[in-house]
Amino acid sequence: IRDENGKFVKDTTDAASGLNSAFKFNQITQAASGLSDVANSLTQPFKALDTATASMSTLGAEAKAMAPNLREAAIVMSKDLPFSAAELQTSMFDALASGVKGGEEGLKTFSVTAAKLATGGGAALSDATKLLAGNLNAYGKGAEEAAKFSDIFFNTINLGVVSASELNANLSNVVPTAAAAGIGLDGVGASIALMTSKGIPAAQSTTKLNALLLELQKPGAALAPILKAAGVSLDSLKKDDLPVTLEKINKAMIKTGQTAVGAFSSSEASAAFNTLASDIKGFKETFDGVKNTTGSTDFAFQEMSSSIEVKLAGLKAATEAYLIGGIDKLGKGFVFAAGAAAQLAPVIGTFAGIKSILPEGAVGQIGSVVSGLLTKLIPSLGVTDAATGVTSLSFTAMWTAATGGVILLVAG
């Protein structure tokens, strides 16, 4: 009985010791994971901005020269806008890459306008950037026109039934045709606003409007004499506002007894004409509102800035901006060290935990195996003792690798 009791006590003690070691191992790995998360959280905004800045430098010598100044501008802007410095820098990069002209100041203005358009329109900054840049380029305008174009977008949204995201997705269906004909963005916006307000979805509105503008530039046999009688030509399309043009055509049709269905070769073109020309008064009022109402972007931005979601996004962006400023003083070396710690902490924690649960002497054997494996895979990390002929890891060689390509590859 005494022997059995002794065996029971020993087994219980061994089990408790194993559980204690496992518990310590779990604590170590959790601490390592926590360290990794903290390091990543602290340095992520800096790394994201660094990547965006490096990307801008790839666009050529002029862009590379502007990149550092635009980086500083992005940090300052992120303190007042609900977007991170990296997002704002990326917005300027996208604008520059797409061909938007204006230099440093122009790109700053563009980015602020895109941020306000995105906030007020409930869109992603990337979508607002594409919407502005794409249409500025289509009309051959620079960054100085960004605020005007943004107001036209908001006026279109306010007077129609369409969102900023829908404009971004569908304006390319019609803007190239309109720009080629000399028809301004205000005419396009007014048309979309009126058509969507009458129940035609944005995608169909832009497709139908495009068909109409194509036929006005290149009329078929039935439409050509009507346009001639109305005094509508390629030159007049550039001079007259679109509501005036359609009013002329509508009057000419009435005089000749012709209908849009008979005059236009495309059913989409005739549908667009009938929708717009049947309410010329409303079309003119909508056009005036889209073209001449200013400050819509700033108004929408101010209204949305009072929402909790935007306030929280602004607080996060501002906090990250101040954090980036602090890390700037420490330098990239700090970010690299933090990143390396984040990458290596789980591994170090695992080895530390394993040491607490493995038998005595096993850790040394594992270390020898790892050392041998590393020196075989990366011979430059090893150093051979001349007297003993034993190869071991060299701290100096490892540091050289850490500041070169090897550790960068490992750190990802």
Side-chain angles (χ1 to χ4, degrees), residues 13 71 96 142 221 278 284 295 326 370:
T13 301
R71 177 188 184 277
L96 187 61
S278 64
K284 287 183 176 180
V370 172

Side-chain angles (χ1 to χ4, degrees), residues 39-408:
N40 280 325
S41 297
L42 287 174
T43 60
Q44 184 55 39
F46 183 95
K47 290 188 290 186
L49 178 58
D50 185 63
T51 299
T53 304
S55 296
M56 180 170 285
S57 298
T58 66
L59 297 179
E62 183 181 3
K64 185 175 182 178
M66 291 191 295
N69 291 338
L70 293 178
R71 177 188 184 277
E72 296 307 310
I75 295 173
V76 173
M77 289 188 290
S78 67
K79 295 176 182 178
D80 299 316
L81 297 167
F83 297 100
S84 69
E87 289 177 301
L88 293 167
Q89 181 81 322
T90 300
S91 174
M92 290 186 279
F93 163 79
D94 289 339
L96 187 61
S98 69
V100 173
K101 306 298 182 183
E104 282 187 25
E105 293 305 316
L107 289 172
K108 294 175 191 176
T109 300
F110 175 95
S111 186
V112 170
T113 302
K116 290 181 176 180
L117 174 60
T119 304
L125 179 56
S126 58
D127 287 341
T129 297
K130 292 175 185 175
L131 178 60
L132 270 179
N135 287 282
L136 285 172
N137 288 332
Y139 281 98
K141 303 296 184 181
E144 70 278 0
E145 295 286 320
K148 177 182 177 181
F149 274 50
S150 183
D151 281 347
I152 290 175
F153 296 142
F154 264 114
N155 295 337
T156 301
I157 293 167
N158 293 337
L159 296 173
V161 183
V162 61
S163 67
S165 296
E166 287 177 314
L167 288 178
N168 179 53
N170 297 294
L171 271 179
S172 59
N173 293 336
V174 63
V175 163
T177 301
I183 296 171
L185 185 64
D186 44 17
V188 174
S191 300
I192 294 172
L194 186 61
M195 294 172 76
T196 55
S197 71
K198 292 182 179 296
I200 304 174
Q204 295 180 28
S205 294
T206 54
T207 301
K208 293 178 187 296
L209 180 61
N210 185 64
L212 171 61
L213 298 183
L214 284 172
E215 291 208 36
L216 292 184
Q217 294 176 74
K218 193 175 181 179
L223 182 61
I226 295 174
L227 294 185
K228 185 176 181 180
V232 174
S233 64
L234 291 176
D235 287 337
S236 73
L237 286 175
K238 293 179 174 65
K239 296 176 183 177
D240 295 334
D241 294 333
L242 190 56
V244 173
T245 296
L246 297 192
E247 184 178 32
K248 288 181 179 179
I249 298 172
N250 194 45
K251 289 179 178 179
M253 282 186 177
I254 293 173
K255 286 183 179 180
T256 61
Q258 184 65 277
T259 64
V261 174
F264 289 96
S265 59
S266 163
S267 61
E268 291 184 330
S270 63
F273 180 85
N274 282 332
T275 301
L276 298 172
S278 64
D279 186 11
I280 286 294
K281 181 181 178 181
F283 190 21
K284 287 183 176 180
E285 291 175 351
T286 302
F287 177 82
D288 181 67
V290 168
K291 181 179 181 179
N292 297 319
T293 303
T294 60
S296 304
T297 303
D298 286 333
F299 177 79
F301 173 72
Q302 292 299 331
E303 289 298 305
M304 288 303 299
S305 292
S306 63
S307 70
I308 294 176
E309 183 177 4
V310 173
K311 283 184 176 180
L312 289 174
L315 178 62
K316 180 175 182 289
T319 301
E320 289 181 352
Y322 286 111
L323 180 61
I324 290 171
I327 295 177
D328 272 340
K329 296 178 181 178
L330 297 174
K332 284 190 176 182
F334 169 79
V335 179
F336 177 81
Q343 294 289 334
L344 297 177
V347 178
I348 295 171
T350 300
F351 276 112
I354 289 175
K355 182 179 179 180
S356 68
I357 61 176
L358 287 179
E360 185 178 353
V363 175
Q365 294 175 11
I366 292 174
S368 297
V369 172
V370 172
S371 175
L373 180 61
L374 281 175
T375 54
K376 281 186 171 66
L377 292 175
I378 311 172
S380 61
L381 295 183
V383 60
T384 302
D385 188 292
T388 64
V390 176
T391 300
S392 59
L393 289 175
S394 166
F395 178 80
T396 302
M398 291 179 68
W399 178 251
T400 301
T403 56
V406 174
I407 198 68
L408 290 177

